[in-house]
Amino acid sequence: MGWKRIRAEEFKRVMAAGCGHLGAHKEEVNALNVFPVPDGDTGTNMWLTMQAAVKEMEKSQGQSVGELAAALSMGALMGARGNSGVILSQLLRGFSHVVEGKDYLTANDLARGFQGGVDVAYKAVMKPVEGTILTVAKAFARGYQGGLNQGMRISEALGFALSQAEKTLEQTPRMLPVLAQAGVVDAGGKGLILILEGVYRSLLGLEVAGYGDTILRENRGQAGLPTRFDLQEEITFLYCTELVVQGEHLSLNEIRQRLEPLGDCVLVVGTAQVAKIHIHTNEPGEVLNITGSYGSMHHLKIDNMRDQHQETLNGVGEPPDAGPFPPKDTGVVAVAAGEGLVRVLKSLGADEVVSGGQTMNPSTEDLVAGINRIKAARVIVLPNNKNIILAAEQAKGLVNKEVAVVPTRSFPQGLAAMLAYDPELPLEDNREGMTTAARRVRTGEVTFAVRLLSPGIFEKWKETKQTHE
């Protein structure tokens, strides 16, 4: 068994198989997740990243390995989730750069591609830590090259590289004390090995768990997983903040340097036109202020990692029926336009998000429906636009609930208000705290005029403005 080359169709098949294999075992990876924070989502994040990459590759019209690898890399960059997902995207990016223009891959092309991925991934991390996915990736690349040096062909060298990576994974608790304390190996490293196992098994013609339903459905858990553990670690930076920025002439180093003082696990990767941002921070609003100054923001995602960790310990499921209202004292209805902004608000605790914003103001009826959908006796409304505040006040008097309107005039003000929100506090305390937080935010907008002012009208406006000043 050997092979001398891997062609485009084989490349497409094995990468989908690697994604499927990880998807089938992602809960096993989640159960290992303790570094950099124990939020229990490394397996899911890597699987979603790989799924986005494979989807983009499947859409590609490319007929060569180089073209497919480029699509795979772009899909991973745009869909990268979490620290490990961003690093995985950089492994794929480095690989794609090396194989650019290749119709097929030889044994030596693979060796250069694996090492290229490692080089790019290490450079992407400001402070690389050994005992992580980086270490395992490096061991795999070196193992593969070592196999070639011993005269092995592709299949044999891949098998040898996997064995070296697995040995390195078993050593990760010696490199990272937090892993030893929890009695686990590194989750990101395990996730990478699962992808590579799927690739290897597919090349050998063996059955691959999860292959065939990689894109169609999500595998939802397995039996017999390790018991979740609580390290009782203090999470210094609470919010895992991720987004994509699209612009022109983006300076990744400049963005990274501006974000570094705001938290840790800072990753800024991509190109001069597209940058993927990941950071653990206590100031997600400031992160958005900085990154938004470079271009348009997409795929925003803000997760409270302390909540994620607690859900990991408790197990995720529906709460028991608590009658007409759950134990939660206060709920939140917010207004926003766009899937990304909706996800951000919900990740910060908004119960309902009513679609609307500038030029598409929701009706009072829409707001009433949103308030009534929340199973709480008291509700806070965030209009997030000055033209929606009046409708929110009207909705307040049309429901049989205690309602407070926090008069947010923009999405950044709404974001600041949500960061001050505490569902355990009484309604009035929340209203005061959220209003104070929102008022600290100053925003500006650039828009298109419906029609141009004539010079005479403009001069009269200036005179009026000076008189009032």
Side-chain angles (χ1 to χ4, degrees):
M1 177 70 67
W3 315 302
K4 292 182 179 179
R5 61 187 62 176
I6 295 176
R7 295 175 176 82
E9 282 305 310
E10 291 171 321
F11 182 81
K12 182 182 290 188
R13 185 187 77 248
V14 301
M15 297 311 296
C19 178
H21 193 58
L22 172 61
H25 298 279
K26 67 180 183 298
E27 291 300 330
E28 179 183 340
V29 179
N30 286 340
L32 301 173
N33 183 196
V34 298
F35 182 85
V37 289
D39 48 357
D41 63 358
T42 289
T44 300
N45 283 339
M46 292 185 71
W47 176 72
L48 290 172
T49 301
M50 197 66 191
Q51 190 183 56
V54 171
K55 281 182 178 179
E56 191 67 25
M57 180 183 67
E58 297 282 0
K59 291 191 300 183
S60 171
Q61 301 299 313
Q63 300 298 311
S64 69
V65 169
E67 291 170 315
L68 293 176
L72 192 79
S73 171
M74 180 55 68
L77 176 65
M78 296 297 290
R81 302 285 190 97
N83 216 48
S84 53
V86 176
I87 294 174
L88 174 60
S89 76
Q90 294 310 286
L91 290 170
L92 294 173
R93 182 182 176 214
F95 182 91
S96 72
H97 284 176
V98 172
V99 305
E100 184 177 0
K102 301 283 185 182
D103 290 329
Y104 56 81
L105 300 180
T106 65
N108 286 328
D109 290 334
L110 282 171
R112 288 190 289 269
F114 293 147
Q115 188 56 50
V118 171
D119 292 341
V120 170
Y122 264 89
K123 289 177 183 176
V125 180
M126 296 193 69
K127 299 175 183 177
V129 176
E130 298 301 336
T132 64
I133 182 176
L134 293 171
T135 310
V136 174
K138 180 169 60 178
F140 180 84
R142 288 179 176 175
Y144 180 81
Q145 183 63 64
L148 294 188
N149 293 343
Q150 296 176 42
M152 298 180 186
R153 300 179 77 178
I154 288 178
S155 61
E156 299 161 328
L158 284 173
F160 180 71
L162 260 177
S163 68
Q164 298 303 300
E166 287 168 346
K167 289 177 182 177
T168 299
L169 179 67
E170 293 302 317
Q171 297 300 313
T172 54
R174 298 185 181 182
M175 305 177 202
L176 267 178
V178 68
L179 300 179
Q181 180 185 350
V184 297
V185 296
D186 179 66
K190 177 65 175 177
L192 179 62
I193 284 179
L194 285 167
I195 295 171
L196 294 169
E197 279 181 351
V199 168
Y200 180 56
R201 289 179 66 83
S202 180
L203 281 172
L204 290 178
L206 301 175
E207 183 179 351
V208 179
Y211 179 53
D213 60 2
T214 303
I215 304 302
L216 298 179
R217 68 179 177 86
E218 175 181 346
N219 299 289
R220 294 190 177 276
Q222 302 173 12
L225 294 176
T227 301
R228 302 286 189 181
F229 39 79
D230 187 359
L231 295 179
Q232 299 299 330
E233 292 280 334
E234 179 64 27
I235 297 178
T236 304
F237 296 104
L238 189 57
Y239 299 103
C240 178
T241 304
E242 299 178 83
L243 68 149
V244 171
V245 175
Q246 294 183 344
E248 296 294 333
H249 311 297
L250 299 176
S251 171
L252 303 183
N253 285 335
E254 180 181 312
I255 298 173
R256 188 183 297 114
Q257 288 169 5
R258 291 186 65 186
L259 293 180
E260 189 179 14
L262 299 179
D264 64 9
C265 297
V266 180
L267 288 168
V268 180
V269 298
T271 69
Q273 290 74 43
V274 181
K276 176 70 180 186
I277 314 292
H278 173 279
I279 181 173
H280 294 171
T281 181
N282 290 327
E283 302 177 72
E286 184 60 24
V287 170
L288 299 185
N289 284 338
I290 291 173
T291 54
S293 67
Y294 288 91
S296 60
M297 297 184 288
H298 308 266
H299 307 300
L300 287 87
K301 178 173 172 285
I302 302 175
D303 291 321
N304 184 312
M305 294 185 291
R306 189 172 293 131
D307 288 349
Q308 286 182 310
H309 179 48
Q310 193 59 49
E311 289 171 2
T312 300
L313 297 176
N314 296 340
V316 178
E318 293 297 321
D321 186 7
F325 301 115
K328 182 176 185 179
D329 182 82
T330 305
V332 175
V333 171
V335 179
E339 186 179 331
L341 299 185
V342 170
R343 285 200 301 267
V344 170
L345 289 168
K346 288 196 170 182
S347 72
L348 292 176
D351 301 273
E352 286 286 336
V353 180
V354 176
S355 180
Q358 191 69 17
T359 74
M360 49 180 292
N361 302 159
S363 67
T364 298
E365 183 180 1
D366 294 330
L367 295 171
V368 167
I371 292 169
N372 285 332
R373 281 195 296 268
I374 298 178
K375 294 181 179 180
R378 286 160 285 279
V379 176
I380 292 170
V381 180
L382 300 178
N384 295 338
N385 186 289
K386 64 180 181 180
N387 294 329
I388 303 173
I389 294 174
L390 183 57
E393 291 288 353
Q394 289 183 162
K396 175 180 175 180
L398 297 175
V399 295
N400 295 320
K401 296 185 180 184
E402 191 178 351
V403 176
V405 176
V406 176
T408 50
R409 301 165 67 88
S410 65
F411 178 80
Q413 284 194 339
L415 181 64
M418 284 306 305
L419 292 173
Y421 169 59
D422 184 346
E424 303 302 321
L425 289 178
L427 181 72
E428 186 58 25
D429 289 353
N430 262 316
R431 187 194 65 78
E432 290 181 3
M434 295 170 74
T435 300
T436 299
R439 284 174 176 166
R440 295 194 187 107
V441 176
R442 296 290 181 268
T443 60
E445 295 181 1
V446 177
T447 188
F448 290 98
V450 175
R451 62 174 182 265
L452 294 176
L453 294 176
S454 67
I457 293 176
F458 182 67
E459 291 300 324
K460 188 169 183 60
W461 173 81
K462 284 199 301 182
E463 291 174 7
T464 303
K465 183 174 182 292
Q466 291 169 354
T467 300
H468 286 291
E469 287 178 346

